[in-house]
Amino acid sequence: MIEIHGLSFRYAGSDRDALQNIELTVPDGDFLGIIGPSGAGKTTLIHSVCGLVPHRRGGDFYGSVTVDGMDTVDAELTDLARVVGTVLQDVDSQMVAANVDDELRFGLENFGAPKDEIEERIVEALRAAGIEDLRDRVIGSLSGGQKQRVAIAAILALRPKILLLDEPTGELDPAVSEQIFRILREMNERFGMTVIVVEQKIMLLSSYAKTLAVLNDGQLEVAGPVREVLKESRRLEEIGVNCPRVVTLSRHIEDLTSGAIAATVEEAEAMVREVLR
Amino acid sequence: MTGFLDYVPGSSVLHRLDPLTKLVLSLCVCISAFLTDNLIFLLVLVGMDLLLGVLGGVFQKALRLLSGLLKLSVFLFLLQVLFVRSGAVLFEYGILKITLDGLFVGARLVLRLTAATLPLQLLLSVTQLSDLSGVLVQRLFVPYKYAFTLTTAIRFIPVFAAEMSGIMEAQTARGVEFDTKNPVKKIGLLLPLCAPLLISSVGKIHESAAAAELRGFTLRTRASQSKRYAFIPADYAFLVFSLLLIAAGILF
Ligand SMILES: Nc1ncnc2c1ncn2[C@@H]1O[C@H](COP(=O)(O)OP(=O)(O)OP(=O)(O)O)[C@@H](O)[C@H]1O
Ligand SMILES: [Mg+2]
């Protein structure tokens, strides 16, 4: 479980808070999507959970973040990393090895995974990320999207209890983005991993996440089950978060149906049929 | 196209050698090039470097480095020829004086530079960086942090180069003439770029270190490495050969 209470953070030298009085609880097994305009504080929030804030980012930190019983300020970065696997926004800077195989091996070796398990876990993680064919490639020769999947595989191999991803589909086309989210859903459902993902494409979030948190200007605007949050579509649009067109559509239909919100294309279809009948 | 320091995958004898052997061999070629004063032996070393390049299937890359070194070599050669004033005079005109000694010193410097640079490039072409750091940690007991720093520095060279040319392209688009033939003017244009480049590089390295820490970097010890290295018969042959090179360097 992750508990965030009264969290405010201001980067050293900055004159405004990157995060302001955040209250958020993420239960075990949740699939949380974080969305918000650029500069809203999404990355800062992710860093607050994995411990980079405040351990590796100078600034004023108020409030508390508790991850799996550990206070992030008191715990060592490495001890947090045993529980939390993080895929950072900048893929290039998180590559530590020269080739894909070593990239996956790195974390496994560091955390002391049993030597006879390493091979199996590498194969499994590569398969999960759909990049078995890249295993012997030199990192420098990969495309942005391929690197992104290598970064994800390297974290999946560690089998963390909590998985944090900062815009993991930033450089991917829609089909591959879907594939990544299917992987995340599988990790979440099959292994009970808690997944927290920052994502700009709200359509993806609303079809895969269980809960949504909307950040704007360092503040948590709304948080809750996807359906509840989507009901606030008018407010989201004011912030600059475009709702899925099906949501906008269902809002128009709302007057006619008085109530329910469609979150996926299928539901919207059913709803439209219902209205048209 | 791969960068001139990148690893080139392959299955040649050189690729299969133990990383330690390759490290020893390339260092021995360098040391030998500095021990000897004999021009013929230096030429033999350069020839051998190229031959090893053929053996490792990276001959084209070695040639590219050679042509890259050519400009610098010509410059260094001329410098030596013009500044060495001792020995039999071959040509004299005003203060300009070219001596036999000058020609020798210049040729020696250039050949030495070439003979010592090629094996380092060859080493990186046929050895994965991770194997290099792996063997430093496992066999030579270098602390992992230092080995990691070394390999990261090598890995970042192309990243910096790309960044530099990115900045230059952007500036060229704004009308800055980087293609000027005047070297003084060019340096004047490039110097101001160093600060931003350095800042962004340091930033990148910081990010990289933080990311490594999130994956348990600080827990890593000598025992963490799961890959083990072992000598094949060819390794012993190459090691003996390396020692012979040192001996030859002392002799000639
Ligand atoms: N290292 C830093 N030093 C100072 N200010 C920073 C630093 N990193 C981020 N900020 C500022 O903090 C605020 C929040 O940034 P953050 O990176 O968390 O936003 P974000 O929501 O992730 O944006 P994006 O969608 O562009 O990734 C921004 O105003 C940003 O300028
Ligand atoms: Mg961000």
Side-chain angles (χ1 to χ4, degrees):
Chain A
M1 188 155 92
I2 301 166
E3 283 177 280
I4 302 175
H5 287 302
L7 170 66
S8 294
F9 186 76
R10 175 179 296 202
Y11 286 98
S14 169
D15 55 2
R16 46 187 286 276
D17 290 349
L19 289 177
Q20 242 179 70
N21 203 16
I22 305 288
E23 291 286 336
L24 185 67
T25 302
V26 187
D28 283 337
D30 196 5
F31 190 142
L32 168 70
I34 299 176
I35 195 163
S38 186
K42 306 181 295 293
T43 297
T44 311
L45 186 58
I46 289 283
H47 286 182
S48 305
V49 176
C50 71
L52 282 182
V53 168
H55 287 284
R56 293 294 172 268
R57 298 282 185 274
D60 298 330
F61 182 100
Y62 296 101
S64 73
V65 179
T66 317
V67 175
D68 204 31
M70 287 180 280
D71 187 304
T72 57
V73 176
D74 300 332
E76 295 282 336
L77 204 50
T78 305
D79 291 326
L80 287 168
R82 285 180 204 277
V83 183
V84 184
T86 316
V87 179
L88 298 172
Q89 188 167 5
D90 177 8
V91 245
D92 279 312
S93 69
Q94 62 193 301
M95 296 286 148
V96 295
N99 67 18
V100 174
D101 183 75
D102 284 314
E103 189 64 37
L104 267 70
R105 212 169 272 278
F106 180 76
L108 288 170
E109 290 176 350
N110 292 348
F111 287 115
K115 296 239 149 71
D116 51 341
E117 242 183 57
I118 287 183
E119 172 65 24
E120 177 197 326
R121 282 169 71 167
I122 291 178
V123 171
E124 190 191 286
L126 288 173
R127 192 182 313 131
I131 48 169
E132 287 144 298
D133 52 326
L134 298 184
R135 182 164 181 175
D136 294 314
R137 288 280 293 277
V138 174
I139 301 271
S141 72
L142 301 178
S143 72
Q146 287 171 325
K147 274 188 223 165
Q148 222 148 15
R149 285 198 272 174
V150 171
I152 294 172
I155 297 300
L156 288 182
L158 300 177
R159 296 184 186 155
K161 209 168 146 184
I162 299 166
L163 189 57
L164 303 181
L165 305 102
D166 197 350
E167 303 201 23
T169 68
E171 298 200 38
L172 303 178
D173 60 53
V176 184
S177 302
E178 283 270 352
Q179 194 190 338
I180 298 287
F181 269 81
R182 274 199 295 272
I183 298 166
L184 299 184
R185 172 145 71 193
E186 187 178 326
M187 293 295 145
N188 177 249
E189 285 177 355
R190 259 193 42 205
F191 304 107
M193 235 181 238
T194 306
V195 177
I196 302 182
V197 56
V198 172
E199 174 61 61
Q200 303 275 13
K201 302 176 200 110
I202 192 159
M203 198 57 232
L204 273 176
L205 280 188
S206 36
S207 5
Y208 287 90
K210 291 176 185 163
T211 46
L212 279 184
V214 183
L215 276 178
N216 183 35
D217 211 11
Q219 307 200 18
L220 192 60
E221 289 279 342
V222 226
V226 174
R227 222 156 279 275
E228 303 293 312
V229 172
L230 289 180
K231 276 193 185 141
E232 308 277 336
S233 62
R234 268 175 244 269
R235 212 164 122 207
L236 299 190
E237 264 154 39
E238 276 167 30
I239 299 169
V241 171
N242 286 319
C243 282
R245 262 167 293 179
V246 283
V247 173
T248 324
L249 176 64
S250 58
R251 208 169 65 200
H252 293 314
I253 302 171
E254 207 176 343
D255 309 326
L256 302 168
T257 58
S258 64
I261 287 281
T264 67
V265 178
E266 290 76 26
E267 285 177 23
E269 186 189 346
M271 210 179 251
V272 173
R273 281 184 199 286
E274 180 67 31
V275 172
L276 295 179
R277 206 164 50 169
Chain B
M1 193 154 88
T2 53
F4 75 107
L5 287 180
D6 286 349
Y7 172 73
V8 180
S11 55
S12 71
V13 191
L14 292 188
H15 284 88
R16 279 179 286 126
L17 285 181
D18 189 286
L20 184 62
T21 311
K22 289 183 265 194
L23 185 65
V24 169
L25 176 64
S26 57
L27 287 181
C28 282
V29 178
C30 291
I31 293 171
S32 184
F34 280 94
L35 285 174
T36 186
D37 275 338
N38 186 310
L39 283 184
I40 311 268
F41 184 59
L42 280 172
L43 265 177
V44 170
L45 281 182
V46 172
M48 190 196 69
D49 287 339
L50 292 175
L51 213 63
L52 285 174
V54 175
L55 201 59
V58 290
F59 183 59
Q60 293 294 333
K61 243 175 95 179
L63 282 187
R64 263 202 287 148
L65 179 65
L66 265 191
S67 66
L69 281 175
L70 197 64
K71 248 194 211 165
L72 181 67
S73 300
V74 169
F75 175 71
L76 286 175
F77 181 74
L78 286 180
L79 211 64
Q80 295 294 325
V81 167
L82 294 178
F83 277 89
V84 175
R85 321 206 53 97
S86 62
V89 177
L90 297 177
F91 177 84
E92 199 164 7
Y93 182 83
I95 57 158
L96 190 69
K97 184 164 137 186
I98 294 177
T99 69
L100 196 60
D101 273 11
L103 287 183
F104 268 118
V105 172
R108 201 187 299 146
L109 180 73
V110 166
L111 283 176
R112 190 172 276 163
L113 176 77
T114 315
T117 318
L118 281 173
L120 295 180
Q121 184 211 25
L122 184 64
L123 172 70
L124 295 178
S125 303
V126 296
T127 319
Q128 305 231 31
L129 279 176
S130 52
D131 288 336
L132 207 55
S133 75
V135 90
L136 284 176
V137 173
Q138 239 178 64
R139 296 274 191 61
L140 302 179
F141 297 88
V142 173
Y144 183 73
K145 274 185 189 163
Y146 296 118
F148 186 78
T149 310
L150 177 74
T151 52
T152 306
I154 297 176
R155 219 160 38 83
F156 266 92
I157 291 174
V159 178
F160 294 159
E163 199 134 317
M164 186 75 179
S165 65
I167 296 175
M168 276 166 66
E169 262 168 41
Q171 302 272 63
T172 308
R174 285 188 223 136
V176 181
E177 298 169 61
F178 280 113
D179 46 359
T180 172
K181 285 273 182 291
N182 180 346
V184 178
K185 196 171 163 205
K186 186 157 180 172
I187 289 175
L189 288 174
L190 286 176
L191 272 184
L193 299 186
C194 289
L197 185 68
L198 195 70
I199 290 169
S200 86
S201 309
V202 170
K204 275 219 170 92
I205 290 174
H206 263 282
E207 280 309 299
S208 211
E213 234 179 309
L214 289 182
R215 278 158 67 199
F217 175 74
T218 54
L219 297 172
R220 198 171 180 91
T221 61
R222 204 177 141 249
S224 299
Q225 182 121 21
S226 56
K227 233 188 231 175
R228 290 277 171 263
Y229 303 96
F231 276 176
I232 54 173
D235 279 300
Y236 295 103
F238 273 96
L239 283 176
V240 171
F241 181 63
S242 307
L243 290 180
L244 288 178
L245 280 179
I246 294 278
I250 296 172
L251 276 179
F252 296 115

